[in-house]
Amino acid sequence: MDCFDAAAEGRFRRRFFPGTGAREWNDAGWQLRNRLRGAAEVLRVLPDLEEEARALERPETWRMPLARTPYMAGLLAAAGAGHPYRRTLIPDVREVRRRPGEHSDPLGELPHQVAPGLVRAYPHKALLLATGECAAYCRYCTRARTCGGGAVDLGAAVAYLRAHPEVDDVLISGGDPLVLDDGRLAEVIDAVRAVPSVTFVRIGTKVPATLPQRITRSLAKMLKARRPLWISTHFSHPLELTARACEGLWRLTDAGIPLMNQCVLLRGVNDDAETLRALFEGLIRNNVRPYYLHDADEAAGTGHFRTPRARGRALLREVARQTTGYAVPRYMADPWPGGMKHPLD
Ligand SMILES: *Cc1c(COP(=O)(O)O)cnc(C)c1O
């Protein structure tokens, strides 16, 4: 299933980034600095985009900026013309459509923001948005409003946690905290850990899928020294489970970091039993437990990604009949205007 193996990656690099050696390409910093951000750059490496190109050429219709690592661009190229996976990262003209009931803050997080970058929607859990940057911006992003924003100042968030010892569970997310370098990420984890009442720390990241070059030995070592620490990954399609991505997953579990996966049910991309089963079983084979399958929320301009809940339930039931229980996530909805998620299955 790996359409973007080391050989394909090398071919893509030599063809479209001829001045770049393997060493640079494999450097996460190079990948981040060279994210593709404009229509011309994307069309250069994906000349076979057809329908999608219409939106690319009209940035005023985009619901959020565009960026993806050269690695991700290569994966989209390898997926092939018309592959539905491309929709997760290529702007669509339908993004401009705002339907009734859609919101720019679909999880209702703003009213629950208790300090800059700290969201508390549950009595004992808090969500720390460590940065607004990601290695690639998913077009269905629920947090498009923070997209591209820089790192937050942790002072007020940590002060809040110290003053509220009932919060014992902190989820470090963003943006994507793994775009921070090892030193900065260690500072964030340590600052949260230093709050005596915080007993459970986890990280939410799509970097293992979008920038596997970031999962270095030194990162694994740094995280290992900070256990217990759990990571939620975000794989949405089996194509993302390239050999390189899987290598990163093994490196993380070798370091003793348990991995869970959250993915969003996306119409026309992964809303069929075969794709979901391939994704969930691929995750299990690489030590990742499928945790949540999120119903696509009512984020403004994402109507074309939503699947009826009855269909989501039926799909998950079908997958559950076909595979091991470990591979079956819970089907979850995030209610508006904010508050706790609830299971739909
Ligand atoms: C989802 C979420 C969490 C974590 O929820 P779990 O169900 O424990 O994984 C925490 N805070 C916010 C705001 C969330 O949306």
Side-chain angles (χ1 to χ4, degrees), residues 48-87:
D48 55 359
L49 281 178
E50 296 138 17
E51 279 294 285
E52 300 97 321
R54 288 185 300 138
L56 265 178
E57 280 158 1
R58 292 179 48 205
E60 70 281 5
T61 64
W62 301 353
R63 62 183 294 263
M64 55 194 274
L66 176 108
R68 85 264 341 260
T69 50
Y71 166 85
M72 259 331 234
L75 179 58
L76 296 183
H83 195 289
Y85 176 67
R86 289 182 165 190
R87 292 181 209 159

Coordinates of all heavy atoms in Angstrom, one line a residue, residues 48-87:
D48 N -0.5 17.6 -12.3 CA -1.7 16.8 -12.7 C -3.0 17.2 -11.9 O -4.0 16.5 -12.0 CB -1.4 15.3 -12.6 CG -1.0 14.9 -11.3 OD1 -0.8 15.7 -10.4 OD2 -0.7 13.7 -11.1
L49 N -2.9 18.3 -11.2 CA -4.2 18.7 -10.5 C -5.1 19.2 -11.6 O -4.7 20.0 -12.4 CB -3.9 19.8 -9.5 CG -3.3 19.4 -8.2 CD1 -3.0 20.7 -7.4 CD2 -4.2 18.5 -7.4
E50 N -6.4 18.8 -11.5 CA -7.3 19.3 -12.5 C -8.4 20.2 -11.9 O -8.2 21.4 -11.7 CB -7.9 18.1 -13.2 CG -6.9 17.3 -14.0 CD -7.1 15.8 -13.9 OE1 -8.2 15.4 -13.5 OE2 -6.2 15.1 -14.2
E51 N -9.5 19.6 -11.5 CA -10.5 20.3 -10.8 C -10.0 21.2 -9.7 O -10.4 22.4 -9.5 CB -11.5 19.3 -10.2 CG -12.5 18.8 -11.3 CD -13.4 19.9 -11.8 OE1 -14.3 20.2 -11.1 OE2 -13.2 20.4 -12.9
E52 N -9.2 20.6 -8.8 CA -8.7 21.2 -7.6 C -8.0 22.6 -7.9 O -8.1 23.5 -7.1 CB -7.7 20.3 -6.9 CG -8.3 19.0 -6.5 CD -7.9 17.9 -7.4 OE1 -8.0 18.1 -8.7 OE2 -7.6 16.8 -7.0
A53 N -7.4 22.6 -9.1 CA -6.6 23.8 -9.4 C -7.4 25.1 -9.4 O -6.9 26.2 -9.2 CB -5.9 23.6 -10.7
R54 N -8.7 25.0 -9.7 CA -9.5 26.2 -9.7 C -9.5 26.9 -8.4 O -9.4 28.1 -8.4 CB -11.0 25.8 -10.1 CG -11.1 25.3 -11.5 CD -12.6 25.1 -11.8 NE -13.1 24.0 -11.0 CZ -14.3 24.1 -10.4 NH1 -15.1 25.1 -10.6 NH2 -14.7 23.1 -9.6
A55 N -9.6 26.2 -7.3 CA -9.5 26.9 -6.0 C -8.1 27.4 -5.7 O -7.9 28.4 -5.1 CB -10.0 25.9 -4.9
L56 N -7.1 26.6 -6.1 CA -5.8 27.0 -5.9 C -5.5 28.4 -6.4 O -4.7 29.2 -5.9 CB -4.8 26.0 -6.5 CG -4.3 24.9 -5.7 CD1 -3.4 24.0 -6.5 CD2 -3.5 25.4 -4.5
E57 N -6.1 28.6 -7.6 CA -5.8 29.9 -8.3 C -6.6 31.0 -7.7 O -6.5 32.2 -8.1 CB -6.0 29.7 -9.8 CG -4.8 29.1 -10.4 CD -5.0 28.4 -11.7 OE1 -6.2 28.4 -12.2 OE2 -4.1 27.8 -12.2
R58 N -7.5 30.8 -6.7 CA -8.3 31.8 -6.1 C -8.2 31.8 -4.6 O -9.1 31.4 -3.9 CB -9.8 31.6 -6.5 CG -10.0 31.8 -8.0 CD -11.5 31.6 -8.4 NE -12.4 32.3 -7.5 CZ -13.6 31.9 -7.2 NH1 -14.1 30.9 -7.9 NH2 -14.4 32.6 -6.4
P59 N -7.0 32.3 -4.1 CA -6.7 32.3 -2.7 C -7.8 33.0 -1.9 O -7.9 32.7 -0.7 CB -5.4 33.0 -2.6 CG -4.8 33.0 -3.9 CD -5.9 32.9 -4.9
E60 N -8.5 33.9 -2.5 CA -9.5 34.6 -1.7 C -10.7 33.7 -1.3 O -11.5 34.0 -0.4 CB -10.1 35.8 -2.5 CG -11.0 35.5 -3.7 CD -10.2 35.1 -5.0 OE1 -8.9 35.0 -4.9 OE2 -10.8 34.9 -6.0
T61 N -10.8 32.5 -1.9 CA -11.8 31.5 -1.5 C -11.3 30.6 -0.4 O -12.1 29.8 0.1 CB -12.3 30.7 -2.7 OG1 -11.2 29.9 -3.1 CG2 -12.7 31.6 -3.8
W62 N -10.0 30.6 0.0 CA -9.5 29.7 1.0 C -10.0 30.0 2.4 O -10.0 31.2 2.8 CB -8.0 29.7 1.0 CG -7.3 29.3 -0.3 CD1 -7.9 28.9 -1.5 CD2 -5.9 29.4 -0.6 NE1 -7.0 28.7 -2.5 CE2 -5.8 29.0 -2.0 CE3 -4.8 29.8 0.1 CZ2 -4.5 29.0 -2.6 CZ3 -3.6 29.7 -0.5 CH2 -3.4 29.3 -1.8
R63 N -10.4 29.0 3.1 CA -10.8 29.2 4.5 C -9.6 29.4 5.4 O -9.8 29.8 6.6 CB -11.7 28.1 5.0 CG -11.1 26.7 5.0 CD -12.1 25.7 5.5 NE -12.5 25.8 6.8 CZ -12.0 25.2 7.9 NH1 -11.1 24.3 7.7 NH2 -12.5 25.4 9.1
M64 N -8.4 29.1 5.0 CA -7.2 29.2 5.8 C -6.0 29.1 4.9 O -6.2 28.8 3.8 CB -7.2 28.0 6.8 CG -7.3 26.7 6.1 SD -7.7 25.3 7.2 CE -6.0 24.9 7.7
P65 N -4.8 29.5 5.4 CA -3.7 29.5 4.6 C -3.3 28.1 4.0 O -3.9 27.1 4.5 CB -2.5 30.0 5.4 CG -3.1 30.4 6.7 CD -4.5 29.9 6.8
L66 N -2.4 28.0 3.2 CA -2.0 26.8 2.6 C -0.5 26.6 3.0 O 0.3 27.5 2.9 CB -2.1 26.9 1.0 CG -1.6 25.8 0.2 CD1 -2.8 25.1 -0.4 CD2 -0.7 26.2 -0.9
A67 N -0.2 25.4 3.4 CA 1.2 25.0 3.6 C 1.3 23.5 3.7 O 0.4 22.9 4.2 CB 1.7 25.6 4.9
R68 N 2.3 23.0 3.1 CA 2.6 21.6 3.3 C 4.1 21.4 3.1 O 4.7 22.0 2.3 CB 1.8 20.7 2.4 CG 2.3 20.4 1.0 CD 1.7 21.3 0.0 NE 0.5 22.0 0.4 CZ -0.7 21.5 0.1 NH1 -0.9 20.6 -0.7 NH2 -1.8 22.2 0.5
T69 N 4.6 20.4 3.8 CA 6.0 20.1 3.7 C 6.3 19.5 2.3 O 5.3 18.9 1.7 CB 6.5 19.0 4.7 OG1 5.5 17.9 4.6 CG2 6.5 19.6 6.1
P70 N 7.5 19.6 1.7 CA 7.8 19.0 0.5 C 7.5 17.5 0.6 O 7.0 16.9 -0.4 CB 9.3 19.2 0.3 CG 9.5 20.6 1.0 CD 8.6 20.5 2.2
Y71 N 7.8 16.8 1.7 CA 7.5 15.4 1.9 C 6.0 15.2 1.6 O 5.6 14.2 0.9 CB 7.8 15.0 3.3 CG 7.3 13.6 3.7 CD1 7.9 12.4 3.3 CD2 6.1 13.5 4.4 CE1 7.4 11.2 3.7 CE2 5.5 12.3 4.7 CZ 6.2 11.1 4.3 OH 5.6 9.9 4.7
M72 N 5.1 16.0 2.2 CA 3.6 15.8 2.0 C 3.3 16.0 0.6 O 2.4 15.4 0.0 CB 2.9 16.8 2.9 CG 2.3 16.3 4.2 SD 1.9 14.5 4.1 CE 0.2 14.6 4.7
A73 N 3.9 17.0 -0.1 CA 3.6 17.3 -1.5 C 4.0 16.1 -2.3 O 3.2 15.7 -3.2 CB 4.4 18.5 -2.0
G74 N 5.1 15.4 -1.9 CA 5.5 14.2 -2.6 C 4.5 13.1 -2.4 O 4.2 12.3 -3.4
L75 N 3.9 13.0 -1.2 CA 2.9 12.0 -1.0 C 1.6 12.2 -1.8 O 1.1 11.3 -2.4 CB 2.6 11.9 0.5 CG 1.5 10.9 1.0 CD1 1.9 9.5 0.6 CD2 1.3 11.0 2.5
L76 N 1.3 13.5 -1.9 CA 0.1 13.8 -2.8 C 0.4 13.5 -4.2 O -0.5 13.0 -4.9 CB -0.3 15.3 -2.6 CG -0.7 15.8 -1.3 CD1 -1.1 17.3 -1.4 CD2 -1.9 15.1 -0.7
A77 N 1.6 13.8 -4.6 CA 2.0 13.5 -6.0 C 1.9 12.0 -6.3 O 1.4 11.5 -7.3 CB 3.4 14.0 -6.3
A78 N 2.4 11.2 -5.3 CA 2.5 9.7 -5.5 C 1.1 9.1 -5.4 O 0.8 8.1 -6.0 CB 3.3 9.1 -4.4
A79 N 0.1 9.8 -4.7 CA -1.2 9.3 -4.6 C -1.8 9.2 -6.0 O -2.6 8.3 -6.3 CB -2.1 10.2 -3.7
G80 N -1.5 10.2 -6.9 CA -1.9 10.1 -8.2 C -3.1 11.1 -8.5 O -3.8 11.5 -7.6
A81 N -3.2 11.4 -9.8 CA -4.3 12.3 -10.2 C -5.6 11.9 -9.7 O -6.0 10.7 -9.8 CB -4.2 12.5 -11.7
G82 N -6.4 12.8 -9.1 CA -7.7 12.6 -8.8 C -7.9 11.8 -7.5 O -9.0 11.5 -7.1
H83 N -6.8 11.4 -6.8 CA -7.0 10.6 -5.6 C -7.7 11.4 -4.5 O -7.3 12.5 -4.3 CB -5.6 10.1 -5.1 CG -5.7 9.0 -4.1 ND1 -6.2 9.2 -2.8 CD2 -5.5 7.7 -4.2 CE1 -6.2 8.0 -2.2 NE2 -5.8 7.1 -3.0
P84 N -8.7 10.8 -3.9 CA -9.4 11.6 -2.9 C -8.6 12.1 -1.7 O -8.9 13.1 -1.1 CB -10.5 10.6 -2.4 CG -10.2 9.3 -2.9 CD -9.3 9.5 -4.1
Y85 N -7.5 11.4 -1.4 CA -6.6 11.9 -0.3 C -6.1 13.3 -0.5 O -6.0 14.1 0.4 CB -5.4 10.9 -0.1 CG -4.5 11.4 1.0 CD1 -4.9 11.5 2.3 CD2 -3.2 11.9 0.6 CE1 -4.1 12.0 3.3 CE2 -2.4 12.4 1.6 CZ -2.9 12.4 2.9 OH -2.0 12.9 3.9
R86 N -6.0 13.7 -1.8 CA -5.5 15.0 -2.1 C -6.4 16.1 -1.5 O -6.0 17.2 -1.2 CB -5.4 15.2 -3.6 CG -4.2 14.4 -4.2 CD -4.1 14.6 -5.7 NE -2.9 14.2 -6.2 CZ -2.4 14.5 -7.4 NH1 -3.1 15.2 -8.3 NH2 -1.2 14.0 -7.8
R87 N -7.7 15.8 -1.4 CA -8.6 16.8 -0.9 C -8.3 17.2 0.5 O -8.8 18.3 1.0 CB -10.1 16.2 -0.9 CG -10.6 16.0 -2.3 CD -12.0 15.5 -2.2 NE -12.2 14.6 -3.3 CZ -13.2 13.7 -3.5 NH1 -14.0 13.5 -2.5 NH2 -13.3 13.0 -4.6

